[in-house]
Coordinates of all heavy atoms in Angstrom, one line a residue:
M4 N -45.4 15.1 25.5 CA -46.6 14.7 24.9 C -47.7 15.7 25.2 O -47.8 16.2 26.3 CB -47.0 13.3 25.5 CG -48.2 12.8 24.8 SD -48.8 11.2 25.5 CE -47.7 10.1 24.6
T5 N -48.5 15.9 24.2 CA -49.7 16.9 24.4 C -50.8 16.2 25.1 O -51.2 15.1 24.9 CB -50.1 17.3 23.0 OG1 -49.1 17.9 22.2 CG2 -51.3 18.3 23.1
D6 N -51.4 17.0 26.1 CA -52.5 16.5 26.9 C -53.8 16.7 26.0 O -54.1 17.9 25.7 CB -52.6 17.3 28.1 CG -53.7 16.8 29.1 OD1 -54.4 15.8 28.7 OD2 -53.9 17.4 30.1
T7 N -54.4 15.7 25.7 CA -55.6 15.8 24.8 C -56.9 15.6 25.6 O -58.0 15.5 25.0 CB -55.6 14.7 23.7 OG1 -55.5 13.4 24.4 CG2 -54.4 14.8 22.8
T8 N -56.8 15.7 26.9 CA -58.0 15.5 27.8 C -59.1 16.5 27.4 O -60.3 16.0 27.3 CB -57.6 15.6 29.3 OG1 -56.5 14.7 29.5 CG2 -58.7 15.3 30.2
K9 N -58.8 17.8 27.4 CA -59.9 18.7 27.1 C -60.4 18.6 25.7 O -61.6 18.6 25.5 CB -59.3 20.2 27.3 CG -60.4 21.2 27.0 CD -59.9 22.6 27.2 CE -60.9 23.7 26.9 NZ -62.1 23.4 26.1
A10 N -59.6 18.3 24.7 CA -60.0 18.1 23.3 C -60.9 16.9 23.2 O -62.0 17.0 22.6 CB -58.8 18.0 22.4
L11 N -60.6 15.8 23.9 CA -61.4 14.7 23.9 C -62.8 14.9 24.6 O -63.8 14.4 24.2 CB -60.7 13.5 24.5 CG -59.6 12.9 23.6 CD1 -58.8 11.8 24.4 CD2 -60.2 12.2 22.4
A12 N -62.7 15.6 25.7 CA -63.9 15.9 26.5 C -64.8 16.9 25.6 O -66.1 16.6 25.5 CB -63.6 16.6 27.8
D13 N -64.3 17.8 24.9 CA -65.0 18.7 24.1 C -65.6 17.9 22.9 O -66.8 18.2 22.5 CB -64.1 19.9 23.5 CG -63.7 20.9 24.6 OD1 -64.3 20.9 25.7 OD2 -62.8 21.6 24.3
F14 N -64.9 17.0 22.3 CA -65.4 16.2 21.2 C -66.5 15.3 21.7 O -67.6 15.2 21.0 CB -64.3 15.2 20.7 CG -64.8 14.2 19.8 CD1 -65.2 14.5 18.5 CD2 -64.7 12.9 20.1 CE1 -65.6 13.6 17.6 CE2 -65.2 11.9 19.2 CZ -65.7 12.2 18.0
T15 N -66.4 14.7 22.9 CA -67.5 13.8 23.4 C -68.7 14.6 23.6 O -69.9 14.2 23.3 CB -67.0 13.2 24.8 OG1 -65.9 12.4 24.5 CG2 -68.1 12.3 25.3
T16 N -68.6 15.9 24.2 CA -69.8 16.7 24.4 C -70.4 17.1 23.1 O -71.7 17.0 22.9 CB -69.3 17.9 25.2 OG1 -68.8 17.5 26.5 CG2 -70.5 18.9 25.4
A17 N -69.6 17.6 22.1 CA -70.1 18.0 20.8 C -70.8 16.8 20.1 O -71.8 17.0 19.5 CB -69.0 18.6 20.0
L18 N -70.1 15.7 20.1 CA -70.7 14.5 19.4 C -72.0 14.1 20.0 O -73.0 13.8 19.3 CB -69.7 13.4 19.4 CG -70.0 12.2 18.5 CD1 -70.1 12.7 17.1 CD2 -69.0 11.1 18.6
A19 N -72.1 14.1 21.3 CA -73.3 13.8 22.0 C -74.5 14.7 21.7 O -75.6 14.3 21.6 CB -73.1 13.7 23.5
A20 N -74.1 16.0 21.5 CA -75.1 17.0 21.2 C -75.5 17.1 19.7 O -76.5 17.7 19.3 CB -74.6 18.4 21.6
A21 N -74.7 16.5 18.8 CA -74.9 16.5 17.4 C -76.2 15.9 17.0 O -76.5 14.7 17.4 CB -73.7 15.9 16.7
T22 N -76.9 16.6 16.2 CA -78.2 16.1 15.7 C -78.1 16.0 14.1 O -79.1 15.5 13.5 CB -79.4 17.0 16.0 OG1 -79.1 18.3 15.6 CG2 -79.5 17.0 17.6
T23 N -77.0 16.3 13.5 CA -76.9 16.2 12.1 C -75.5 15.6 11.8 O -74.6 15.6 12.6 CB -76.9 17.6 11.4 OG1 -75.8 18.4 11.8 CG2 -78.3 18.3 11.7
E24 N -75.4 15.1 10.6 CA -74.1 14.5 10.2 C -73.0 15.6 10.2 O -71.9 15.4 10.6 CB -74.3 14.0 8.8 CG -73.1 13.3 8.2 CD -73.4 12.7 6.8 OE1 -73.9 11.6 6.7 OE2 -73.1 13.4 5.8
E25 N -73.4 16.8 9.7 CA -72.4 17.9 9.7 C -71.9 18.3 11.1 O -70.8 18.5 11.2 CB -73.0 19.2 9.0 CG -72.0 20.3 8.9 CD -72.6 21.4 8.0 OE1 -73.7 21.4 7.6 OE2 -71.8 22.4 7.8
A26 N -72.8 18.3 12.1 CA -72.4 18.6 13.4 C -71.4 17.5 14.0 O -70.5 17.9 14.6 CB -73.6 18.7 14.3
A27 N -71.7 16.3 13.6 CA -70.7 15.2 14.0 C -69.4 15.4 13.4 O -68.4 15.3 14.0 CB -71.3 13.9 13.7
F28 N -69.4 15.7 12.1 CA -68.1 16.0 11.4 C -67.4 17.2 11.9 O -66.2 17.3 12.0 CB -68.3 16.1 9.9 CG -68.6 14.8 9.2 CD1 -69.5 14.7 8.2 CD2 -68.0 13.6 9.6 CE1 -69.7 13.4 7.5 CE2 -68.2 12.4 9.0 CZ -69.1 12.3 8.0
D29 N -68.2 18.3 12.3 CA -67.6 19.5 12.9 C -66.9 19.1 14.2 O -65.8 19.6 14.4 CB -68.7 20.5 13.2 CG -69.3 21.3 12.0 OD1 -68.6 21.3 11.0 OD2 -70.4 21.9 12.2
A30 N -67.5 18.2 15.0 CA -66.9 17.8 16.2 C -65.6 17.0 15.9 O -64.5 17.3 16.6 CB -67.8 16.9 17.0
L31 N -65.6 16.2 14.9 CA -64.4 15.4 14.6 C -63.3 16.3 14.0 O -62.1 16.2 14.3 CB -64.7 14.3 13.5 CG -63.6 13.4 13.1 CD1 -63.0 12.7 14.3 CD2 -64.1 12.4 12.1
C32 N -63.7 17.3 13.2 CA -62.8 18.3 12.7 C -62.1 19.1 13.8 O -60.9 19.2 13.8 CB -63.5 19.2 11.7 SG -62.5 20.6 11.1
A33 N -62.9 19.5 14.8 CA -62.3 20.3 15.9 C -61.3 19.4 16.7 O -60.3 19.8 17.1 CB -63.4 20.8 16.8
L34 N -61.7 18.1 16.9 CA -60.8 17.2 17.6 C -59.5 17.0 16.9 O -58.4 17.1 17.4 CB -61.5 15.9 17.8 CG -60.6 14.8 18.5 CD1 -60.2 15.2 19.9 CD2 -61.3 13.4 18.4
T35 N -59.6 16.8 15.6 CA -58.4 16.6 14.7 C -57.5 17.9 14.8 O -56.3 17.7 15.0 CB -58.8 16.3 13.3 OG1 -59.6 15.1 13.3 CG2 -57.6 16.1 12.4
K36 N -58.1 19.0 14.6 CA -57.3 20.2 14.6 C -56.6 20.5 16.0 O -55.5 21.0 16.1 CB -58.1 21.4 14.2 CG -58.4 21.4 12.7 CD -59.2 22.6 12.3 CE -59.3 22.6 10.7 NZ -59.8 23.8 10.2
A37 N -57.4 20.1 17.1 CA -56.8 20.3 18.4 C -55.7 19.3 18.8 O -54.9 19.6 19.6 CB -58.0 20.3 19.4
T38 N -55.8 18.2 18.2 CA -54.8 17.1 18.6 C -53.7 16.8 17.6 O -52.6 16.7 18.0 CB -55.6 15.8 19.0 OG1 -56.3 15.4 17.8 CG2 -56.5 15.9 20.1
V39 N -54.1 16.8 16.4 CA -53.1 16.4 15.4 C -52.7 17.7 14.6 O -51.5 17.8 14.2 CB -53.7 15.4 14.4 CG1 -52.7 15.0 13.3 CG2 -54.1 14.1 15.1
G40 N -53.7 18.5 14.3 CA -53.4 19.7 13.5 C -53.8 19.5 12.1 O -53.5 18.4 11.5
A41 N -54.4 20.4 11.4 CA -54.8 20.2 10.0 C -55.1 21.6 9.5 O -55.8 22.4 10.1 CB -56.0 19.3 9.9
K42 N -54.7 21.8 8.3 CA -55.1 23.1 7.6 C -56.4 22.9 6.8 O -57.2 23.8 6.7 CB -54.0 23.4 6.5 CG -52.7 23.9 7.2 CD -51.7 24.2 6.1 CE -50.4 24.6 6.8 NZ -49.4 24.9 5.8
L43 N -56.7 21.7 6.4 CA -57.9 21.3 5.7 C -58.4 20.0 6.2 O -57.6 19.1 6.4 CB -57.6 21.2 4.2 CG -58.8 20.6 3.3 CD1 -60.0 21.6 3.3 CD2 -58.3 20.3 1.9
F44 N -59.7 19.9 6.5 CA -60.3 18.7 7.0 C -61.5 18.3 6.1 O -62.4 19.1 6.0 CB -60.8 18.8 8.4 CG -61.3 17.5 9.0 CD1 -60.4 16.7 9.6 CD2 -62.7 17.3 9.0 CE1 -60.9 15.5 10.2 CE2 -63.1 16.0 9.5 CZ -62.3 15.2 10.1
T45 N -61.4 17.2 5.4 CA -62.5 16.8 4.6 C -62.8 15.3 4.9 O -61.9 14.6 5.3 CB -62.2 16.9 3.0 OG1 -61.2 16.1 2.7 CG2 -61.9 18.3 2.7
V46 N -64.0 14.9 4.6 CA -64.4 13.5 4.6 C -64.9 13.1 3.3 O -65.7 13.8 2.6 CB -65.5 13.3 5.7 CG1 -66.0 11.9 5.6 CG2 -65.1 13.7 7.1
M47 N -64.3 12.0 2.7 CA -64.7 11.6 1.4 C -65.4 10.2 1.6 O -65.1 9.4 2.5 CB -63.4 11.3 0.6 CG -62.6 12.5 0.3 SD -63.4 13.7 -0.8 CE -63.4 12.8 -2.4
T48 N -66.3 9.9 0.6 CA -66.9 8.6 0.5 C -66.5 8.0 -0.8 O -66.3 8.8 -1.7 CB -68.5 8.7 0.6 OG1 -69.0 9.5 -0.4 CG2 -68.9 9.3 2.0
S49 N -66.5 6.7 -0.9 CA -66.2 6.1 -2.2 C -67.3 5.1 -2.4 O -67.7 4.3 -1.6 CB -64.9 5.4 -2.1 OG -64.8 4.4 -1.2
D50 N -67.8 5.1 -3.7 CA -68.8 4.2 -4.2 C -68.1 3.3 -5.2 O -68.0 3.7 -6.4 CB -70.0 5.0 -4.8 CG -71.1 4.0 -5.3 OD1 -70.8 2.8 -5.5 OD2 -72.2 4.6 -5.6
T51 N -67.6 2.2 -4.8 CA -66.8 1.4 -5.7 C -67.7 0.6 -6.7 O -67.2 0.2 -7.8 CB -65.9 0.3 -4.9 OG1 -66.8 -0.4 -4.0 CG2 -64.8 1.0 -4.2
D52 N -69.0 0.5 -6.5 CA -69.9 0.0 -7.5 C -70.0 1.0 -8.7 O -69.9 0.6 -9.8 CB -71.3 -0.3 -6.9 CG -71.3 -1.4 -5.9 OD1 -70.4 -2.3 -6.1 OD2 -72.2 -1.5 -5.1
A53 N -70.1 2.3 -8.3 CA -70.3 3.3 -9.4 C -68.9 3.9 -9.8 O -68.8 4.6 -10.7 CB -71.1 4.4 -8.9
M54 N -67.8 3.5 -9.0 CA -66.4 3.9 -9.2 C -66.3 5.5 -9.2 O -65.7 6.1 -10.0 CB -65.9 3.4 -10.5 CG -65.6 1.9 -10.5 SD -64.5 1.4 -9.1 CE -63.0 1.9 -9.7
V55 N -67.0 6.1 -8.1 CA -66.9 7.5 -7.9 C -66.6 7.8 -6.5 O -67.0 7.0 -5.6 CB -68.2 8.3 -8.4 CG1 -68.3 8.2 -9.9 CG2 -69.4 7.8 -7.7
A56 N -66.0 8.9 -6.2 CA -65.8 9.4 -4.9 C -66.5 10.8 -4.7 O -66.6 11.5 -5.7 CB -64.2 9.6 -4.6
R57 N -67.0 11.0 -3.5 CA -67.6 12.2 -3.2 C -67.1 12.8 -1.9 O -66.8 12.1 -1.0 CB -69.1 12.0 -3.1 CG -69.8 11.5 -4.3 CD -71.3 11.2 -4.1 NE -71.9 10.6 -5.2 CZ -72.0 9.3 -5.4 NH1 -71.5 8.4 -4.5 NH2 -72.6 8.8 -6.5
R58 N -67.0 14.2 -1.9 CA -66.7 14.8 -0.6 C -67.9 15.0 0.2 O -68.9 15.7 -0.3 CB -66.0 16.2 -0.9 CG -65.5 16.9 0.3 CD -64.7 18.1 0.0 NE -63.4 17.8 -0.6 CZ -63.0 18.1 -1.9 NH1 -63.9 18.7 -2.6 NH2 -61.9 17.7 -2.3
A59 N -68.0 14.4 1.3 CA -69.2 14.4 2.2 C -69.2 15.6 3.1 O -70.2 16.1 3.6 CB -69.4 13.1 2.9
Y60 N -67.9 16.1 3.5 CA -67.8 17.1 4.5 C -66.5 17.9 4.2 O -65.5 17.3 3.7 CB -67.7 16.6 5.9 CG -67.4 17.6 7.0 CD1 -68.4 18.4 7.5 CD2 -66.1 17.9 7.3 CE1 -68.1 19.4 8.4 CE2 -65.8 18.8 8.2 CZ -66.8 19.6 8.8 OH -66.5 20.6 9.7
T61 N -66.5 19.2 4.4 CA -65.3 20.0 4.3 C -65.4 21.2 5.2 O -66.5 21.7 5.5 CB -65.2 20.5 2.8 OG1 -64.0 21.3 2.7 CG2 -66.4 21.4 2.4
D62 N -64.3 21.6 5.7 CA -64.2 22.8 6.5 C -63.9 24.0 5.7 O -63.7 25.1 6.3 CB -63.4 22.7 7.8 CG -61.8 22.6 7.4 OD1 -61.5 22.3 6.3 OD2 -61.0 22.8 8.3
D63 N -63.7 23.9 4.4 CA -63.4 24.9 3.5 C -64.3 24.8 2.2 O -63.8 24.4 1.2 CB -61.9 25.0 3.2 CG -61.5 26.2 2.3 OD1 -62.3 27.0 2.0 OD2 -60.3 26.2 2.0
A64 N -65.5 25.1 2.4 CA -66.5 24.8 1.3 C -66.2 25.8 0.1 O -66.5 25.4 -1.0 CB -67.9 25.1 1.7
A65 N -65.6 26.9 0.3 CA -65.3 27.9 -0.8 C -64.3 27.3 -1.8 O -64.5 27.4 -3.0 CB -64.8 29.2 -0.2
N66 N -63.3 26.6 -1.3 CA -62.3 26.0 -2.1 C -62.5 24.5 -2.4 O -61.9 24.0 -3.4 CB -60.9 26.2 -1.5 CG -60.5 27.7 -1.5 OD1 -60.5 28.3 -2.5 ND2 -60.3 28.2 -0.3
Y67 N -63.2 23.8 -1.5 CA -63.4 22.4 -1.6 C -64.8 22.0 -1.4 O -65.2 21.5 -0.3 CB -62.4 21.6 -0.6 CG -61.0 21.9 -0.9 CD1 -60.4 22.9 -0.2 CD2 -60.3 21.2 -1.8 CE1 -59.0 23.2 -0.4 CE2 -58.9 21.5 -2.0 CZ -58.3 22.5 -1.3 OH -57.0 22.7 -1.6
P68 N -65.7 22.4 -2.3 CA -67.1 22.2 -2.1 C -67.5 20.7 -2.0 O -66.8 19.8 -2.5 CB -67.7 22.8 -3.3 CG -66.7 22.8 -4.4 CD -65.4 22.9 -3.7
T69 N -68.6 20.4 -1.4 CA -69.1 19.0 -1.3 C -70.0 18.6 -2.5 O -70.4 17.4 -2.5 CB -69.9 18.8 0.0 OG1 -71.0 19.8 0.0 CG2 -69.1 19.0 1.2
S70 N -70.1 19.5 -3.5 CA -70.9 19.1 -4.6 C -70.1 18.3 -5.6 O -68.9 18.4 -5.6 CB -71.5 20.3 -5.3 OG -70.4 21.1 -5.7
G71 N -70.8 17.5 -6.4 CA -70.1 16.8 -7.5 C -69.4 15.5 -7.0 O -69.4 15.1 -5.8
E72 N -68.8 14.8 -8.0 CA -68.1 13.6 -7.7 C -67.0 13.5 -8.7 O -66.9 14.2 -9.7 CB -69.0 12.4 -7.8 CG -69.7 12.3 -9.2 CD -70.8 11.3 -9.1 OE1 -71.5 11.1 -8.1 OE2 -71.0 10.7 -10.2
K73 N -66.0 12.6 -8.4 CA -64.9 12.4 -9.3 C -64.7 10.9 -9.5 O -65.0 10.1 -8.5 CB -63.7 13.1 -8.9 CG -63.1 12.7 -7.6 CD -61.9 13.5 -7.2 CE -61.2 13.1 -6.0 NZ -60.0 13.9 -5.6
P74 N -64.2 10.5 -10.6 CA -64.0 9.0 -10.8 C -62.9 8.5 -9.9 O -61.9 9.1 -9.6 CB -63.6 8.9 -12.3 CG -63.1 10.3 -12.7 CD -63.8 11.2 -11.8
I75 N -63.1 7.3 -9.4 CA -62.1 6.6 -8.6 C -61.1 5.9 -9.6 O -61.5 5.3 -10.6 CB -62.7 5.4 -7.8 CG1 -63.6 6.1 -6.7 CG2 -61.6 4.6 -7.2 CD1 -64.3 5.0 -5.9
E76 N -59.8 6.2 -9.4 CA -58.8 5.6 -10.2 C -58.1 4.5 -9.3 O -57.6 4.9 -8.2 CB -57.8 6.6 -10.7 CG -58.4 7.6 -11.6 CD -57.4 8.7 -12.1 OE1 -56.2 8.4 -12.1 OE2 -57.8 9.8 -12.4
L77 N -58.1 3.3 -9.7 CA -57.5 2.2 -9.0 C -56.0 2.3 -9.3 O -55.5 1.8 -10.2 CB -58.1 0.9 -9.3 CG -59.5 0.7 -9.1 CD1 -60.1 -0.7 -9.5 CD2 -59.9 0.9 -7.6
N78 N -55.3 2.9 -8.4 CA -53.8 3.1 -8.5 C -53.1 3.0 -7.1 O -53.8 2.7 -6.1 CB -53.5 4.4 -9.2 CG -54.2 5.6 -8.5 OD1 -54.4 5.6 -7.3 ND2 -54.4 6.7 -9.3
R79 N -51.9 3.4 -7.0 CA -51.2 3.3 -5.8 C -51.8 4.3 -4.7 O -51.8 4.0 -3.6 CB -49.7 3.6 -6.0 CG -48.9 2.5 -6.7 CD -47.5 2.8 -6.9 NE -46.8 3.4 -5.8 CZ -45.7 4.1 -5.9 NH1 -45.1 4.2 -7.1 NH2 -45.2 4.7 -4.9
W80 N -52.2 5.4 -5.2 CA -52.8 6.4 -4.2 C -54.1 5.8 -3.6 O -54.3 5.9 -2.4 CB -53.1 7.7 -4.9 CG -53.8 8.7 -4.1 CD1 -55.1 9.1 -4.2 CD2 -53.3 9.3 -2.9 NE1 -55.5 9.9 -3.2 CE2 -54.4 10.1 -2.4 CE3 -52.1 9.3 -2.2 CZ2 -54.3 10.9 -1.2 CZ3 -52.0 10.1 -1.1 CH2 -53.0 10.9 -0.6
F81 N -54.9 5.2 -4.4 CA -56.2 4.6 -3.9 C -55.8 3.5 -2.9 O -56.4 3.4 -1.9 CB -57.0 4.0 -5.1 CG -58.3 3.3 -4.7 CD1 -59.4 4.1 -4.5 CD2 -58.3 2.0 -4.4 CE1 -60.6 3.5 -4.0 CE2 -59.5 1.4 -4.0 CZ -60.6 2.2 -3.8
D82 N -54.8 2.7 -3.3 CA -54.4 1.6 -2.3 C -53.9 2.2 -1.0 O -54.2 1.7 0.1 CB -53.2 0.8 -2.9 CG -53.7 -0.1 -4.1 OD1 -54.9 -0.3 -4.3 OD2 -52.8 -0.5 -4.9
Q83 N -53.2 3.3 -1.0 CA -52.6 3.9 0.2 C -53.7 4.5 1.0 O -53.8 4.4 2.2 CB -51.6 5.1 -0.2 CG -51.0 5.8 0.9 CD -50.0 4.9 1.7 OE1 -49.4 4.0 1.2 NE2 -49.9 5.2 3.0
V84 N -54.7 5.2 0.4 CA -55.7 5.9 1.1 C -56.7 4.8 1.6 O -57.2 4.9 2.6 CB -56.4 7.0 0.2 CG1 -57.6 7.5 0.9 CG2 -55.4 8.0 -0.1

């Protein structure tokens, strides 16, 4: 089993120091990459009243920008996610 003590301590420190939403997501991204591993880390929001989803955070803005929105499709993928 991987020891996540340092990653959790680093996350706690970074989160406590975060003064913006982006800094908090940066901390969560670093924790995820250190413990689970990820090639891409994004945070999505969904507005079911307007039936749109938006990317609120990405660690790869060149390929996955946070601008724009896309329609929510109520399907098996939506149920899974």
Side-chain angles (χ1 to χ4, degrees):
M4 182 183 278
T5 303
D6 182 4
T7 60
T8 305
K9 182 178 179 339
L11 287 171
D13 290 347
F14 170 70
T15 301
T16 300
L18 190 59
T22 57
T23 65
E24 184 177 273
E25 184 172 3
F28 287 143
D29 284 341
L31 184 58
C32 177
L34 174 65
T35 302
K36 288 184 174 189
T38 57
V39 179
K42 293 180 182 179
L43 171 68
F44 185 87
T45 66
V46 175
M47 298 288 294
T48 62
S49 64
D50 180 345
T51 52
D52 290 335
M54 292 300 289
V55 293
R57 296 176 186 91
R58 186 175 287 112
Y60 173 86
T61 181
D62 69 339
D63 185 359
N66 292 304
Y67 300 93
T69 57
S70 61
E72 57 191 33
K73 62 183 184 178
I75 292 175
E76 296 180 27
L77 299 178
N78 54 26
R79 286 178 41 199
W80 175 250
F81 182 83
D82 292 341
Q83 180 71 27
V84 173

